[in-house]
Amino acid sequence: MLIAAVIAFCVLVFVVALVWPRLSHSVERGGTKPLAMGGRAAGKAPGPLGRWLRKPFSKSQQAIHKSGSAGRETHRKLPL
């Protein structure tokens, strides 16, 4: 369920970045804040378990940032 939500949000961020590049930064931040909070909470687990539990949150944040930057880059390349 979480994977589908992250994928759907990445598609949303890409489309927003493609159409409104300036607005996409705030949408991107709005999606990464809950993931950052979850990653911080998961990272409090002791030892390597904390790193393992934090990894899905950080990978999801990376995916959101990557889709936003890809949308903005595609917008720059469009012949408008």
Side-chain angles (χ1 to χ4, degrees):
M1 183 67 184
L2 179 65
I3 296 171
V6 170
I7 291 171
F9 193 75
C10 284
V11 170
L12 174 74
V13 169
F14 179 80
V15 170
V16 170
L18 189 61
V19 179
W20 300 290
R22 288 186 183 183
L23 179 67
S24 69
H25 290 288
S26 61
V27 174
E28 192 175 317
R29 275 193 308 270
T32 58
K33 279 192 180 203
L35 292 172
M37 288 175 23
R40 279 195 300 272
K44 293 186 189 279
L49 182 63
R51 287 191 303 273
W52 294 335
L53 290 176
R54 184 185 296 177
K55 196 170 192 173
F57 294 101
S58 64
K59 291 294 185 180
S60 298
Q61 281 181 319
Q62 286 176 0
I64 290 173
H65 286 301
K66 201 171 191 178
S67 64
S69 63
R72 287 186 291 274
E73 183 67 28
T74 304
H75 177 82
R76 275 186 236 122
K77 290 181 179 181
L78 287 177
L80 295 178

